[in-house]
């Protein structure tokens, strides 16, 4: 179990309402101390190689080996398209340092996505709500209880709905929904030679057009109910499009040497798990799938410690490496079903040793204000 390194993002823009349904430092800059312990400037320039591309941001490895995440929220989609980022490409970026991923998505970036018709008074309300939401998001913590997290998410959701009340009328006024034919074509039924019967097609079209009308009228709850009706009618065709794999197909993917007696046991569990899913018996289904993969795991050769550590970009000290290897090999000897508590405890100790390395290699976050790529300079429009 590798420690996950996640980016915490601002919740989706209020524009997204479900219509698809389903280099030298600049002079005079102020110094800050980011989480990796390296003192940098609030405004800085960095040159490096693109590692990963996310659409509105990139991972960058600088010339001196530091890791950066560069956000391009200030730039338009048209500019990003012209930049045409490619992994392995060298790029120079100027911008301000942020402490957290959520800090990269500012109200100015959010405001650019809003319809021009939004009034100054409404913008003022939206900015206040936006800042309240950001404050609540920063308060989220892994140390919180489930109840505390739920309460905090409820507060965030309440603010989001208030923002949605302001923006949605403008969005609905310019919304151009797909035609029923376009919407159905996106599923790709024709590519699998799946033909929707005439009566079902007529019924689906009628439901879809009712859904569009309900969405335009702002009747969200009724619109959700109507779309549930749509997918209930469409489900038999989705089952044909994405058929449940047979037991034999599942086992072919593993390419394991499993005795016939064990295979027979696995097939029985698999069939019962499928039946439990059809019967909406979630508890039984979960237990059966756990049993299924528990048996399969016994025939899978696990990664060696060296293979496991090779995925990390950093190197650990000889002493830490020795402790990590011992913990890893102890974990592999434990039974995944009988020794869950011990396994979790040892993974905890494993990650505690790695924690300083995660911190030392944590990305520096930059909100870009200038980009130089392929000799071309870009600044936000």
């Amino acid at each position: 179990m590798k420690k996950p390194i996640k980016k915490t993002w601002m919740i989706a823009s209020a524009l997204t309402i479900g219509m698809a349904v389903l280099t030298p430092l600049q002079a005079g800059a102020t110094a800050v101390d980011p989480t990796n312990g390296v003192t940098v400037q609030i405004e800085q320039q960095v040159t490096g190689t693109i590692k990963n591309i996310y659409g509105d941001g990139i991972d960058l490895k600088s010339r001196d080996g530091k890791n950066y995440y560069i956000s391009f929220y200030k730039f338009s989609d048209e500019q990003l398209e012209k930049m045409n980022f490619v992994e392995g490409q060298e790029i120079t970026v100027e911008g301000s340092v942020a402490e957290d991923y959520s800090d990269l998505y500012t109200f100015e970036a959010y405001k650019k996505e809003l319809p021009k018709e939004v009034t100054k008074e409404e913008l003022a309300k939206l900015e206040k709500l936006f800042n309240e939401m950001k404050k609540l998001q920063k308060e989220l913590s892994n140390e919180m209880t489930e109840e505390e997290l739920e309460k905090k998410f409820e507060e965030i959701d309440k603010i989001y709905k208030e923002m949605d009340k302001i923006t949605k009328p403008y969005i609905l006024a310019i919304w151009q929904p797909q035609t029923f034919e376009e919407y159905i074509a996106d599923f790709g039924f024709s590519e699998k030679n799946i033909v929707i019967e005439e009566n079902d097609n007529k019924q689906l079209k009628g439901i879809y057009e009712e859904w569009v009308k309900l969405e335009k009228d702002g009747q969200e709850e009724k619109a959700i109910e109507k779309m549930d009706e749509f997918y209930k009618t469409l489900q038999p065709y989705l089952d044909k499009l994405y058929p449940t794999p047979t037991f034999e197909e599942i086992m072919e993917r593993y390419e394991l040497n499993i005795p016939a007696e064990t295979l027979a046991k696995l097939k029985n569990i698999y069939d019962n798990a499928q039946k439990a899913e059809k019967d909406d018996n979630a508890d039984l289904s979960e237990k059966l799938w756990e049993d299924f993969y528990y048996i399969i795991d016994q025939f899978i050769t696990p990664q060696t410690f060296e293979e496991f550590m090779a995925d990390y970009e950093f190197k650990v000290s000889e002493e830490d490496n020795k402790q990590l290897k011992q913990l890893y090999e102890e974990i592999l000897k434990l039974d995944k079903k009988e020794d869950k508590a011990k396994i979790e405890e040892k993974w905890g100790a494993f990650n505690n040793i790695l924690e300083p390395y995660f911190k030392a290699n944590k990305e520096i976050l930059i909100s870009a204000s200038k980009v130089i790529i392929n000799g071309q300079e870009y600044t936000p429009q």
Side-chain angles (χ1 to χ4, degrees):
M1 177 189 287
K2 292 198 178 182
K3 180 173 180 179
I5 305 174
K6 298 181 179 178
K7 295 181 172 66
T8 304
W9 294 104
M10 177 65 190
I11 65 168
S13 160
L15 291 178
T16 307
I17 57 174
M19 293 306 178
V21 189
L22 319 191
T23 275
L25 301 178
Q26 295 180 344
T30 306
V32 295
D33 186 17
T35 50
N36 66 357
V38 179
T39 300
V40 295
Q41 305 295 323
I42 286 181
E43 287 289 334
Q44 80 171 85
Q45 185 181 90
V46 59
T47 298
T49 303
I50 297 173
K51 290 167 54 186
N52 298 297
I53 303 167
Y54 303 103
D56 52 13
I58 60 171
D59 286 332
L60 190 78
K61 174 72 79 172
S62 69
R63 287 176 174 174
D64 60 1
K66 296 187 181 72
N67 295 311
Y68 290 81
Y69 175 77
I70 314 295
S71 165
F72 299 106
Y73 273 128
K74 294 176 183 175
F75 293 82
S76 67
D77 292 340
E78 291 76 15
Q79 286 179 300
L80 291 175
E81 188 175 343
K82 286 180 181 178
M83 291 182 203
N84 189 29
F85 300 126
V86 177
E87 288 184 17
Q89 188 176 36
E90 187 168 90
I91 181 174
T92 296
V93 175
E94 284 184 18
S96 55
V97 173
E99 293 182 6
D100 188 84
Y101 287 101
S102 64
D103 294 332
L104 297 171
Y105 189 60
T106 64
F107 181 72
E108 288 302 311
Y110 165 76
K111 189 170 69 173
K112 286 199 313 179
E113 301 171 358
L114 294 173
K116 295 178 181 178
E117 293 78 10
V118 176
T119 67
K120 288 184 178 179
E121 292 77 13
E122 288 170 328
L123 277 176
K125 289 180 184 176
L126 285 168
E127 184 169 13
K128 182 181 178 182
L129 290 166
F130 182 94
N131 291 332
E132 286 176 11
M133 186 188 298
K134 292 290 286 288
K135 181 176 179 293
L136 287 170
Q137 287 178 323
K138 281 199 168 187
E139 292 171 0
L140 292 171
S141 166
N142 289 334
E143 306 302 319
M144 287 182 170
T145 64
E146 189 174 335
E147 186 178 343
E148 288 171 333
L149 282 171
E150 187 176 343
K151 184 178 179 181
K152 194 67 68 176
F153 280 122
E154 285 175 359
E155 291 178 53
I156 291 172
D157 186 57
K158 186 178 179 182
I159 293 175
Y160 177 78
K161 286 176 179 176
E162 287 299 311
M163 295 173 72
D164 195 48
K165 284 180 185 177
I166 298 171
T167 60
K168 192 166 184 177
Y170 295 103
I171 296 162
L172 289 174
I174 60 174
W175 178 43
Q176 294 295 326
Q178 289 179 295
T179 65
F180 167 73
E181 289 73 21
E182 290 169 337
Y183 185 74
I184 284 293
D186 284 345
F187 284 97
F189 290 119
S190 60
E191 296 169 16
K192 296 289 183 71
N193 296 317
I194 299 169
V195 179
I196 299 176
E197 293 182 12
E198 187 176 347
N199 287 343
D200 287 337
N201 196 71
K202 185 177 180 180
Q203 184 180 358
L204 287 165
K205 184 174 183 178
I207 296 171
Y208 181 81
E209 290 173 351
E210 287 179 48
W211 170 77
V212 169
K213 186 176 183 304
L214 289 167
E215 282 283 5
K216 285 188 172 181
D217 290 343
Q219 300 185 55
E220 292 184 19
E221 290 187 10
K222 289 185 177 180
I224 291 170
E225 291 174 4
K226 191 56 63 176
M227 194 45 67
D228 287 343
E229 183 183 345
F230 182 92
Y231 275 95
K232 187 176 180 180
T233 305
L234 192 65
Q235 192 58 52
Y237 300 98
L238 291 173
D239 290 341
K240 291 180 182 178
L241 188 64
Y242 304 107
T244 302
T246 64
F247 172 73
E248 288 72 23
E249 288 171 336
I250 289 285
M251 297 313 299
E252 280 178 11
R253 298 173 189 173
Y254 284 102
E255 298 181 346
L256 298 173
N257 186 20
I258 300 177
E261 185 180 346
T262 306
L263 277 175
K265 184 177 179 180
L266 280 169
K267 188 175 189 313
N268 184 54
I269 296 173
Y270 180 85
D271 291 341
N272 288 331
Q274 294 289 356
K275 184 179 184 303
E277 286 188 0
K278 288 180 181 178
D279 294 340
D280 292 325
N281 191 336
D283 290 340
L284 178 59
S285 173
E286 183 179 352
K287 180 184 180 304
L288 289 168
W289 283 121
E290 186 178 344
D291 291 343
F292 183 84
Y293 289 111
Y294 173 73
I295 294 172
I296 285 181
D297 280 346
Q298 296 174 46
F299 295 91
I300 296 175
T301 302
Q303 285 182 300
T304 64
F305 171 73
E306 289 71 23
E307 290 170 337
F308 183 87
M309 293 300 294
D311 287 341
Y312 293 118
E313 291 188 358
F314 53 78
K315 299 296 182 184
V316 300
S317 70
E318 187 176 339
E319 183 181 347
D320 286 339
N321 192 74
K322 185 177 179 180
Q323 291 183 58
L324 288 166
K325 184 171 184 177
Q326 182 179 336
L327 283 166
Y328 184 80
E329 291 176 350
E330 286 174 2
I331 289 167
L332 293 184
K333 292 175 183 177
L334 293 171
D335 187 285
K336 291 183 179 179
K337 186 181 288 187
E338 302 297 328
D339 302 314
K340 281 184 180 180
K342 287 183 180 179
I343 289 173
E344 286 299 319
E345 182 183 340
K346 288 188 181 295
W347 275 123
F350 190 95
N351 284 325
N352 284 339
I353 295 172
L354 286 180
E355 188 64 32
Y357 297 97
F358 286 123
K359 285 185 177 180
N361 287 273
K362 191 171 182 179
E363 293 173 319
I364 300 171
L365 312 179
I366 291 184
S367 178
S369 55
K370 183 189 287 186
V371 177
I372 302 172
I373 186 168
N374 294 328
Q376 181 72 39
E377 183 176 298
Y378 297 89
T379 54
Q381 294 176 338

